[in-house]
């Protein structure tokens, strides 16, 4: 009654449905107030034709072909470009001149993913920063599609979720003839299937079937003992050429007992950088580290070597839903995992290091702000983020976006969470210090 009397017409949950009847009986709310709340709640739905016959609703005539049409993708690209923030640009380090750069190192856990953020839609066409930069430079990038094991739509035979040492959850208790199904994946251009796995046994195999568990077998990956259930490695195998969208069914085959754990899988070309010899600028990619998890010396070394041999190093860092989401709070503001250490290592190898922060939440990048020549930021940039970031980094678009939240330098700067007195320097919208 208090909520509706104050003007709240809807509730994300079932509180109003459960208790408004009792509130009316106790005369805590009038029927006229309830009527007004219902009018407000239903007006938009009526205007959208939600209760009209399909043939009378003009929205029903919109063809499916308009989804992710060239016009809509261009709009998504423009929205992303307008959202990108230039945090720092010492001595005009940016924009980059592709005519003078011979080799670029692209490094970091946010480089080869299209981070969409909390409560995002699910575009089928997602352009990662790595893909966008390669396409900008005229380098064929092929398809990259990454799926977390925890995002299955159906499982059978025993697999279950457990916490992963690298953040999020992995698919555990995988046994012989168990399986997991994943929603539609676009296979156009994909020639290799990758999976990130861990095992303390003789392992087993991952069969990749399309559309049904007994559907066409297009790839089969071998998983061996990795030394620990959380000691992650990448395994891969070729894909039989196939086009179009398909539901992915993974069948797990092996001996008795638990075979291995699965963290994620993705599709990439067999030769990710094929065609580069003809490009004026060469691109080298190194993961460096994951968003969360311990330092892998081999991955660090690969990233440092790539940076050392390049004219420019672009490091993509940030946070995702494994770090920050509804009902999952952070305990600090720092770059998650060992990302800060990766940035320092890359910068030590190449002082022409540019930081790109791709995140779903504010992060403290104090050392980076003090030492790196340029920093670009983007929060929840959508499916065309790779193309938009390339436009900004190479000067086709002048970034003018503003952050929508305060980026605190340290936890000690945070005001009392329960104090919203505007005279104390904080509201729900902004924070300042005198």
């Amino acid at each position: 009654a208090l909520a509706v009397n104050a003007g709240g017409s809807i509730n994300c949950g079932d509180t109003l449905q459960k208790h408004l009847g009792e509130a009316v009986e106790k005369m805590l709310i009038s029927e006229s107030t309830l009527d007004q709340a219902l009018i407000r709640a239903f007006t938009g739905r009526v205007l959208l034709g939600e209760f009209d016959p399909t043939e009378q609703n003009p929205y029903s005539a919109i063809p499916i072909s308009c989804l992710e049409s060239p016009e809509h993708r261009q709009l998504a690209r423009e929205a992303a470009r307008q959202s990108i923030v230039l945090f720092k640009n010492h001595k005009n380090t940016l924009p980059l001149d592709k005519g003078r750069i011979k080799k670029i190192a692209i490094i970091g856990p946010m480089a080869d993913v299209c981070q969409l953020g909390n409560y995002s839609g699910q575009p089928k066409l997602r352009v990662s920063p790595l893909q966008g930069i390669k396409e900008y430079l005229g380098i064929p990038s092929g398809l990259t599609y990454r799926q977390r094991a925890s995002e299955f739509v159906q499982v059978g035979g025993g697999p279950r979720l457990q916490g992963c040492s690298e953040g999020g959850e992995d698919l555990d208790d995988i046994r012989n003839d168990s399986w997991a199904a994943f929603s539609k994946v676009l296979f156009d251009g994909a020639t290799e299937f990758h999976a990130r796995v861990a095992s303390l046994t003789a392992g087993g195999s991952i069969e990749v079937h399309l559309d049904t568990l007994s559907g066409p077998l297009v790839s089969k990956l071998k998983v061996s003992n990795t030394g620990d259930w959380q000691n992650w490695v990448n395994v891969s195998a070729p894909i039989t050429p196939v086009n179009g969208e398909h539901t992915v069914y993974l069948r797990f085959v092996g001996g008795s007992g638990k075979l291995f754990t699965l963290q994620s899988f993705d599709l990439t070309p067999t030769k990710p950088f094929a065609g580069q010899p003809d490009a004026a600028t060469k691109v080298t990619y190194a993961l460096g580290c994951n968003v969360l998890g311990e330092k892998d010396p081999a991955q660090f070394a690969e990233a440092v070597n790539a940076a050392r041999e390049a004219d420019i190093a672009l490091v993509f860092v940030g946070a995702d839903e494994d770090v920050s989401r509804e009902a999952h709070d952070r305990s600090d503001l720092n770059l998650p995992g060992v990302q800060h250490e990766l940035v320092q290592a890359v910068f030590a190898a190449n002082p022409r290091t540019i930081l790109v922060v791709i995140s779903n939440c504010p992060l403290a990048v104090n050392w980076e702000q003090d030492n790196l020549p340029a920093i670009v930021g983007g929060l929840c940039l959508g499916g065309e983020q790779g193309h938009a970031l390339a436009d900004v980094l190479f000067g086709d678009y002048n970034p003018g976006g503003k952050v929508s939240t305060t980026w605190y330098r340290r936890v000690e700067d945070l005001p009392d969470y329960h104090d919203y007195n505007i005279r104390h320097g904080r509201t729900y919208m902004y924070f300042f210090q005198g």
Side-chain angles (χ1 to χ4, degrees):
L2 287 171
V4 177
N5 284 329
S9 302
I10 59 174
N11 153 241
C12 185
D14 58 4
T15 301
L16 300 186
Q17 295 95 310
K18 284 184 176 180
H19 302 292
L20 271 180
E22 181 184 357
V24 171
E25 291 175 359
K26 291 183 176 181
M27 302 183 69
L28 299 175
I29 183 172
S30 68
E31 287 195 29
S32 61
T33 300
L34 199 58
D35 289 342
Q36 185 60 44
L38 285 167
I39 290 171
R40 285 195 294 260
F42 276 86
T43 296
R45 299 176 65 183
V46 171
L47 291 174
L48 287 170
E50 186 176 334
F51 304 101
D52 296 336
T54 301
E55 62 274 10
Q56 296 180 17
N57 188 336
Y59 296 105
S60 300
I62 298 174
I64 196 71
S65 59
C66 80
L67 295 177
E68 301 193 69
S69 63
E71 295 79 10
H72 290 180
R73 294 189 68 188
Q74 184 57 42
L75 180 62
R77 183 172 184 165
E78 178 62 21
R81 297 197 303 183
Q82 292 188 25
S83 301
I84 294 172
V85 181
L86 183 64
F87 286 119
K88 181 180 181 181
N89 192 23
H90 183 61
K91 293 185 178 180
N92 296 319
T93 300
L94 294 174
L96 302 175
D97 185 351
K98 69 176 183 179
R100 301 179 62 180
I101 299 173
K102 300 302 180 184
K103 194 169 186 179
I104 296 177
I106 298 180
I107 297 165
M110 290 299 181
D112 196 23
V113 295
C114 187
Q115 162 68 15
L116 297 176
N118 309 63
Y119 297 109
S120 168
Q122 297 297 320
K124 298 176 183 177
L125 301 173
R126 309 179 187 185
V127 183
S128 70
L130 174 63
Q131 181 181 350
I133 291 171
K134 288 172 64 181
E135 291 181 3
Y136 185 92
L137 297 172
I139 301 170
S141 61
L143 173 73
T144 298
Y145 181 97
R146 182 162 297 158
Q147 180 87 55
R148 289 190 178 93
S150 58
E151 295 174 336
F152 63 83
V153 294
Q154 193 176 0
V155 294
R160 58 181 176 80
L161 293 177
Q162 71 162 14
C164 177
S165 62
E166 294 186 341
E169 295 177 306
D170 60 58
L171 203 58
D172 187 46
D173 209 19
I174 292 173
R175 297 175 181 271
N176 182 48
D177 209 33
S178 59
W179 56 275
F182 297 83
S183 56
K184 297 282 188 179
V185 175
L186 184 65
F187 275 77
D188 292 0
T191 54
E192 194 168 73
F193 195 96
H194 298 253
R196 190 157 179 80
V197 297
S199 178
L200 191 56
T201 68
S205 299
I206 303 175
E207 295 182 353
V208 183
H209 295 265
L210 301 185
D211 301 320
T212 67
L213 193 57
S214 58
L217 175 64
V218 296
S219 187
K220 187 172 183 178
L221 294 74
K222 173 66 177 176
V223 180
S224 302
N225 189 328
T226 68
D228 190 89
W229 291 116
Q230 295 287 311
N231 185 26
W232 300 99
V233 300
N234 296 311
V235 296
S236 62
I239 295 175
T240 302
V242 59
N243 291 319
E245 281 189 328
H246 299 274
T247 302
V248 173
Y249 280 80
L250 302 182
R251 183 194 292 273
F252 309 114
V253 181
S256 61
K258 186 168 78 168
L259 305 179
F260 46 84
T261 52
L262 173 70
Q263 184 192 107
S264 62
F265 69 83
D266 60 72
L267 285 64
T268 64
T270 300
K271 298 178 180 179
F273 307 114
Q276 284 202 74
D278 297 328
T281 304
K282 308 298 187 297
V283 171
T284 301
Y285 164 68
L287 175 64
C289 68
N290 291 290
V291 173
L292 292 170
E294 302 293 329
K295 175 181 177 180
D296 183 329
Q299 288 184 337
F300 258 58
E302 182 182 10
V304 168
N305 290 335
R308 184 180 295 115
E309 297 173 0
D311 300 319
I312 290 287
L314 300 175
V315 185
F316 293 81
V317 299
D320 57 16
E321 285 73 27
D322 291 336
V323 176
S324 175
R325 63 182 183 272
E326 183 178 1
H328 181 77
D329 296 335
R330 294 182 288 165
S331 58
D332 62 63
L333 300 173
N334 302 323
L335 283 172
V338 295
Q339 294 183 72
H340 173 65
E341 186 178 351
L342 175 67
V343 175
Q344 289 184 313
V346 170
F347 179 70
N350 188 338
R352 286 178 60 80
T353 293
I354 296 169
L355 189 71
V356 183
V357 182
I358 305 294
S359 180
N360 67 345
C361 59
L363 295 167
V365 287
N366 305 329
W367 182 91
E368 290 79 2
Q369 179 75 15
D370 293 339
N371 291 276
L372 269 60
I375 303 176
V376 171
L379 276 74
C380 306
L381 296 176
E384 284 287 320
Q385 61 187 262
H387 290 145
L389 284 164
D391 292 339
V392 165
L393 292 170
F394 290 96
D396 286 3
Y397 188 88
N398 188 23
K402 306 294 188 293
V403 293
S404 58
T405 55
T406 301
W407 285 51
Y408 301 92
R409 291 181 63 88
R410 55 183 193 154
V411 171
E412 289 74 19
D413 291 337
L414 293 168
D416 183 351
Y417 182 80
H418 298 285
D419 183 2
Y420 278 82
N421 188 331
I422 192 172
R423 294 179 177 82
H424 295 169
R426 178 182 190 250
T427 74
Y428 74 97
M429 293 180 64
Y430 63 84
F431 164 69
F432 64 88
Q433 288 180 310

